[in-house]
PDB file of all heavy atoms in Angstrom:
ATOM      1  N   GLY A 167     -65.311  47.654  40.214  1.00 87.00           N
ATOM      2  CA  GLY A 167     -64.194  46.791  40.234  1.00 87.00           C
ATOM      3  C   GLY A 167     -63.547  46.833  41.599  1.00 87.00           C
ATOM      4  O   GLY A 167     -64.078  47.172  42.615  1.00 87.00           O
ATOM      5  N   ASP A 168     -62.215  46.467  41.613  1.00 85.00           N
ATOM      6  CA  ASP A 168     -61.480  46.269  42.853  1.00 85.00           C
ATOM      7  C   ASP A 168     -61.102  47.605  43.508  1.00 85.00           C
ATOM      8  O   ASP A 168     -60.741  47.677  44.730  1.00 85.00           O
ATOM      9  CB  ASP A 168     -60.255  45.460  42.627  1.00 85.00           C
ATOM     10  CG  ASP A 168     -60.599  44.006  42.344  1.00 85.00           C
ATOM     11  OD1 ASP A 168     -61.684  43.551  42.772  1.00 85.00           O
ATOM     12  OD2 ASP A 168     -59.800  43.361  41.731  1.00 85.00           O
ATOM     13  N   GLU A 169     -61.174  48.667  42.820  1.00 82.00           N
ATOM     14  CA  GLU A 169     -60.705  50.011  43.294  1.00 82.00           C
ATOM     15  C   GLU A 169     -61.702  50.552  44.392  1.00 82.00           C
ATOM     16  O   GLU A 169     -61.270  51.489  45.135  1.00 82.00           O
ATOM     17  CB  GLU A 169     -60.514  51.014  42.116  1.00 82.00           C
ATOM     18  CG  GLU A 169     -61.783  51.265  41.447  1.00 82.00           C
ATOM     19  CD  GLU A 169     -61.701  52.335  40.392  1.00 82.00           C
ATOM     20  OE1 GLU A 169     -61.042  53.355  40.618  1.00 82.00           O
ATOM     21  OE2 GLU A 169     -62.374  52.198  39.332  1.00 82.00           O
ATOM     22  N   ALA A 170     -62.859  50.085  44.327  1.00 89.00           N
ATOM     23  CA  ALA A 170     -63.837  50.674  45.203  1.00 89.00           C
ATOM     24  C   ALA A 170     -63.516  50.451  46.656  1.00 89.00           C
ATOM     25  O   ALA A 170     -63.090  49.370  47.113  1.00 89.00           O
ATOM     26  CB  ALA A 170     -65.269  50.094  44.996  1.00 89.00           C
ATOM     27  N   ILE A 171     -63.633  51.529  47.480  1.00 96.00           N
ATOM     28  CA  ILE A 171     -63.522  51.473  48.913  1.00 96.00           C
ATOM     29  C   ILE A 171     -64.787  51.087  49.511  1.00 96.00           C
ATOM     30  O   ILE A 171     -65.825  51.776  49.265  1.00 96.00           O
ATOM     31  CB  ILE A 171     -63.026  52.812  49.453  1.00 96.00           C
ATOM     32  CG1 ILE A 171     -61.585  53.113  48.891  1.00 96.00           C
ATOM     33  CG2 ILE A 171     -63.032  52.793  50.970  1.00 96.00           C
ATOM     34  CD1 ILE A 171     -61.176  54.602  49.200  1.00 96.00           C
ATOM     35  N   ILE A 172     -64.824  49.965  50.254  1.00 97.00           N
ATOM     36  CA  ILE A 172     -66.065  49.471  50.872  1.00 97.00           C
ATOM     37  C   ILE A 172     -65.853  49.335  52.410  1.00 97.00           C
ATOM     38  O   ILE A 172     -64.917  48.857  52.874  1.00 97.00           O
ATOM     39  CB  ILE A 172     -66.515  48.086  50.290  1.00 97.00           C
ATOM     40  CG1 ILE A 172     -66.600  48.203  48.743  1.00 97.00           C
ATOM     41  CG2 ILE A 172     -67.788  47.681  50.938  1.00 97.00           C
ATOM     42  CD1 ILE A 172     -66.935  46.881  48.144  1.00 97.00           C
ATOM     43  N   TYR A 173     -66.858  49.926  53.050  1.00 98.00           N
ATOM     44  CA  TYR A 173     -66.871  49.744  54.559  1.00 98.00           C
ATOM     45  C   TYR A 173     -68.130  48.872  54.885  1.00 98.00           C
ATOM     46  O   TYR A 173     -69.163  49.157  54.457  1.00 98.00           O
ATOM     47  CB  TYR A 173     -67.011  51.002  55.318  1.00 98.00           C
ATOM     48  CG  TYR A 173     -65.660  51.655  55.598  1.00 98.00           C
ATOM     49  CD1 TYR A 173     -64.897  52.327  54.663  1.00 98.00           C
ATOM     50  CD2 TYR A 173     -65.144  51.584  56.872  1.00 98.00           C
ATOM     51  CE1 TYR A 173     -63.738  52.778  54.921  1.00 98.00           C
ATOM     52  CE2 TYR A 173     -63.869  52.068  57.161  1.00 98.00           C
ATOM     53  CZ  TYR A 173     -63.154  52.725  56.216  1.00 98.00           C
ATOM     54  OH  TYR A 173     -61.986  53.272  56.395  1.00 98.00           O
ATOM     55  N   LEU A 174     -67.859  47.772  55.670  1.00 98.00           N
ATOM     56  CA  LEU A 174     -68.944  46.963  56.187  1.00 98.00           C
ATOM     57  C   LEU A 174     -69.251  47.478  57.605  1.00 98.00           C
ATOM     58  O   LEU A 174     -68.336  47.447  58.411  1.00 98.00           O
ATOM     59  CB  LEU A 174     -68.636  45.494  56.205  1.00 98.00           C
ATOM     60  CG  LEU A 174     -68.081  44.903  54.871  1.00 98.00           C
ATOM     61  CD1 LEU A 174     -67.901  43.421  55.071  1.00 98.00           C
ATOM     62  CD2 LEU A 174     -69.075  45.122  53.726  1.00 98.00           C
ATOM     63  N   VAL A 175     -70.408  47.924  57.849  1.00 98.00           N
ATOM     64  CA  VAL A 175     -70.720  48.483  59.172  1.00 98.00           C
ATOM     65  C   VAL A 175     -71.869  47.706  59.871  1.00 98.00           C
ATOM     66  O   VAL A 175     -73.051  47.701  59.295  1.00 98.00           O
ATOM     67  CB  VAL A 175     -71.172  49.957  58.974  1.00 98.00           C
ATOM     68  CG1 VAL A 175     -71.605  50.652  60.296  1.00 98.00           C
ATOM     69  CG2 VAL A 175     -69.976  50.801  58.425  1.00 98.00           C
ATOM     70  N   GLY A 176     -71.590  47.164  61.005  1.00 98.00           N
ATOM     71  CA  GLY A 176     -72.582  46.476  61.790  1.00 98.00           C
ATOM     72  C   GLY A 176     -73.194  47.480  62.760  1.00 98.00           C
ATOM     73  O   GLY A 176     -72.533  47.912  63.770  1.00 98.00           O
ATOM     74  N   ASN A 177     -74.460  47.862  62.586  1.00 98.00           N
ATOM     75  CA  ASN A 177     -75.048  48.902  63.401  1.00 98.00           C
ATOM     76  C   ASN A 177     -75.934  48.240  64.531  1.00 98.00           C
ATOM     77  O   ASN A 177     -76.250  47.070  64.430  1.00 98.00           O
ATOM     78  CB  ASN A 177     -75.882  49.748  62.503  1.00 98.00           C
ATOM     79  CG  ASN A 177     -76.384  51.068  63.232  1.00 98.00           C
ATOM     80  OD1 ASN A 177     -75.635  51.665  64.016  1.00 98.00           O
ATOM     81  ND2 ASN A 177     -77.642  51.371  63.013  1.00 98.00           N
ATOM     82  N   LYS A 178     -76.226  49.099  65.519  1.00 98.00           N
ATOM     83  CA  LYS A 178     -77.118  48.729  66.678  1.00 98.00           C
ATOM     84  C   LYS A 178     -76.345  47.930  67.755  1.00 98.00           C
ATOM     85  O   LYS A 178     -76.844  47.058  68.408  1.00 98.00           O
ATOM     86  CB  LYS A 178     -78.341  47.917  66.293  1.00 98.00           C
ATOM     87  CG  LYS A 178     -79.105  48.691  65.164  1.00 98.00           C
ATOM     88  CD  LYS A 178     -80.595  48.261  64.979  1.00 98.00           C
ATOM     89  CE  LYS A 178     -81.246  48.904  63.741  1.00 98.00           C
ATOM     90  NZ  LYS A 178     -82.644  48.563  63.532  1.00 98.00           N
ATOM     91  N   THR A 179     -75.091  48.286  68.006  1.00 98.00           N
ATOM     92  CA  THR A 179     -74.338  47.639  69.046  1.00 98.00           C
ATOM     93  C   THR A 179     -74.865  47.901  70.459  1.00 98.00           C
ATOM     94  O   THR A 179     -74.454  47.257  71.462  1.00 98.00           O
ATOM     95  CB  THR A 179     -72.815  48.126  69.095  1.00 98.00           C
ATOM     96  OG1 THR A 179     -72.789  49.561  69.219  1.00 98.00           O
ATOM     97  CG2 THR A 179     -72.096  47.630  67.818  1.00 98.00           C
ATOM     98  N   ASP A 180     -75.794  48.883  70.567  1.00 98.00           N
ATOM     99  CA  ASP A 180     -76.459  49.177  71.873  1.00 98.00           C
ATOM    100  C   ASP A 180     -77.456  48.079  72.290  1.00 98.00           C
ATOM    101  O   ASP A 180     -77.995  48.115  73.375  1.00 98.00           O
ATOM    102  CB  ASP A 180     -77.118  50.526  71.728  1.00 98.00           C
ATOM    103  CG  ASP A 180     -78.213  50.504  70.615  1.00 98.00           C
ATOM    104  OD1 ASP A 180     -77.839  50.804  69.437  1.00 98.00           O
ATOM    105  OD2 ASP A 180     -79.315  50.202  70.836  1.00 98.00           O
ATOM    106  N   ASP A 181     -77.688  47.100  71.406  1.00 98.00           N
ATOM    107  CA  ASP A 181     -78.622  46.030  71.705  1.00 98.00           C
ATOM    108  C   ASP A 181     -77.898  44.699  71.794  1.00 98.00           C
ATOM    109  O   ASP A 181     -78.223  43.750  71.021  1.00 98.00           O
ATOM    110  CB  ASP A 181     -79.727  46.068  70.660  1.00 98.00           C
ATOM    111  CG  ASP A 181     -80.843  45.180  70.923  1.00 98.00           C
ATOM    112  OD1 ASP A 181     -80.947  44.657  72.054  1.00 98.00           O
ATOM    113  OD2 ASP A 181     -81.710  44.997  70.008  1.00 98.00           O
ATOM    114  N   PRO A 182     -76.946  44.510  72.671  1.00 98.00           N
ATOM    115  CA  PRO A 182     -76.143  43.254  72.762  1.00 98.00           C
ATOM    116  C   PRO A 182     -76.847  42.072  73.032  1.00 98.00           C
ATOM    117  O   PRO A 182     -76.491  40.962  72.603  1.00 98.00           O
ATOM    118  CB  PRO A 182     -75.107  43.569  73.906  1.00 98.00           C
ATOM    119  CG  PRO A 182     -75.694  44.584  74.686  1.00 98.00           C
ATOM    120  CD  PRO A 182     -76.554  45.464  73.815  1.00 98.00           C
ATOM    121  N   ASN A 183     -78.044  42.137  73.730  1.00 98.00           N
ATOM    122  CA  ASN A 183     -78.764  40.842  74.098  1.00 98.00           C
ATOM    123  C   ASN A 183     -79.402  40.225  72.884  1.00 98.00           C
ATOM    124  O   ASN A 183     -79.612  39.025  72.842  1.00 98.00           O
ATOM    125  CB  ASN A 183     -79.891  41.266  75.052  1.00 98.00           C
ATOM    126  CG  ASN A 183     -79.328  41.783  76.416  1.00 98.00           C
ATOM    127  OD1 ASN A 183     -78.168  41.382  76.792  1.00 98.00           O
ATOM    128  ND2 ASN A 183     -80.125  42.484  77.096  1.00 98.00           N
ATOM    129  N   ASN A 184     -79.546  41.044  71.819  1.00 98.00           N
ATOM    130  CA  ASN A 184     -80.223  40.471  70.580  1.00 98.00           C
ATOM    131  C   ASN A 184     -79.150  40.219  69.441  1.00 98.00           C
ATOM    132  O   ASN A 184     -79.516  40.049  68.328  1.00 98.00           O
ATOM    133  CB  ASN A 184     -81.292  41.405  70.153  1.00 98.00           C
ATOM    134  CG  ASN A 184     -82.449  41.344  71.070  1.00 98.00           C
ATOM    135  OD1 ASN A 184     -82.933  40.298  71.402  1.00 98.00           O
ATOM    136  ND2 ASN A 184     -82.961  42.478  71.493  1.00 98.00           N
ATOM    137  N   ARG A 185     -77.881  40.453  69.785  1.00 98.00           N
ATOM    138  CA  ARG A 185     -76.816  40.302  68.778  1.00 98.00           C
ATOM    139  C   ARG A 185     -76.829  38.881  68.192  1.00 98.00           C
ATOM    140  O   ARG A 185     -76.872  37.937  68.923  1.00 98.00           O
ATOM    141  CB  ARG A 185     -75.464  40.584  69.448  1.00 98.00           C
ATOM    142  CG  ARG A 185     -74.318  40.446  68.476  1.00 98.00           C
ATOM    143  CD  ARG A 185     -72.951  40.391  69.172  1.00 98.00           C
ATOM    144  NE  ARG A 185     -72.442  41.789  69.554  1.00 98.00           N
ATOM    145  CZ  ARG A 185     -71.777  42.507  68.640  1.00 98.00           C
ATOM    146  NH1 ARG A 185     -71.471  42.067  67.513  1.00 98.00           N
ATOM    147  NH2 ARG A 185     -71.294  43.695  69.037  1.00 98.00           N
ATOM    148  N   LEU A 186     -76.828  38.845  66.817  1.00 98.00           N
ATOM    149  CA  LEU A 186     -76.760  37.516  66.152  1.00 98.00           C
ATOM    150  C   LEU A 186     -75.453  37.433  65.352  1.00 98.00           C
ATOM    151  O   LEU A 186     -75.128  36.279  65.005  1.00 98.00           O
ATOM    152  CB  LEU A 186     -77.955  37.392  65.241  1.00 98.00           C
ATOM    153  CG  LEU A 186     -79.297  37.236  65.937  1.00 98.00           C
ATOM    154  CD1 LEU A 186     -80.383  37.119  64.854  1.00 98.00           C
ATOM    155  CD2 LEU A 186     -79.299  35.937  66.878  1.00 98.00           C
ATOM    156  N   ILE A 187     -74.799  38.512  65.082  1.00 98.00           N
ATOM    157  CA  ILE A 187     -73.583  38.449  64.250  1.00 98.00           C
ATOM    158  C   ILE A 187     -72.405  38.987  65.163  1.00 98.00           C
ATOM    159  O   ILE A 187     -72.408  40.111  65.626  1.00 98.00           O
ATOM    160  CB  ILE A 187     -73.659  39.458  63.083  1.00 98.00           C
ATOM    161  CG1 ILE A 187     -75.043  39.389  62.396  1.00 98.00           C
ATOM    162  CG2 ILE A 187     -72.510  39.192  62.141  1.00 98.00           C
ATOM    163  CD1 ILE A 187     -75.416  38.004  61.761  1.00 98.00           C
ATOM    164  N   SER A 188     -71.354  38.112  65.343  1.00 98.00           N
ATOM    165  CA  SER A 188     -70.204  38.527  66.166  1.00 98.00           C
ATOM    166  C   SER A 188     -69.337  39.370  65.302  1.00 98.00           C
ATOM    167  O   SER A 188     -69.304  39.379  64.079  1.00 98.00           O
ATOM    168  CB  SER A 188     -69.451  37.270  66.625  1.00 98.00           C
ATOM    169  OG  SER A 188     -68.887  36.628  65.522  1.00 98.00           O
ATOM    170  N   ILE A 189     -68.421  40.050  66.027  1.00 98.00           N
ATOM    171  CA  ILE A 189     -67.410  40.913  65.364  1.00 98.00           C
ATOM    172  C   ILE A 189     -66.454  39.997  64.556  1.00 98.00           C
ATOM    173  O   ILE A 189     -65.959  40.427  63.556  1.00 98.00           O
ATOM    174  CB  ILE A 189     -66.747  41.822  66.342  1.00 98.00           C
ATOM    175  CG1 ILE A 189     -65.755  42.763  65.673  1.00 98.00           C
ATOM    176  CG2 ILE A 189     -65.960  41.085  67.414  1.00 98.00           C
ATOM    177  CD1 ILE A 189     -66.240  44.187  65.430  1.00 98.00           C
ATOM    178  N   GLU A 190     -66.276  38.783  65.023  1.00 98.00           N
ATOM    179  CA  GLU A 190     -65.382  37.914  64.325  1.00 98.00           C
ATOM    180  C   GLU A 190     -65.982  37.523  62.929  1.00 98.00           C
ATOM    181  O   GLU A 190     -65.196  37.444  62.013  1.00 98.00           O
ATOM    182  CB  GLU A 190     -65.087  36.614  65.235  1.00 98.00           C
ATOM    183  CG  GLU A 190     -64.250  36.775  66.349  1.00 98.00           C
ATOM    184  CD  GLU A 190     -64.979  37.417  67.587  1.00 98.00           C
ATOM    185  OE1 GLU A 190     -66.292  37.441  67.541  1.00 98.00           O
ATOM    186  OE2 GLU A 190     -64.352  37.927  68.472  1.00 98.00           O
TER     187      GLU A 190
END
Side-chain angles (χ1 to χ4, degrees):
D168 291 335
E169 60 174 324
I171 294 170
I172 304 177
Y173 272 79
L174 307 183
V175 174
N177 190 41
K178 309 197 184 183
T179 57
D180 57 274
D181 189 8
N183 296 335
N184 292 312
R185 179 192 279 271
L186 293 177
I187 317 297
S188 68
I189 184 101
E190 289 77 17

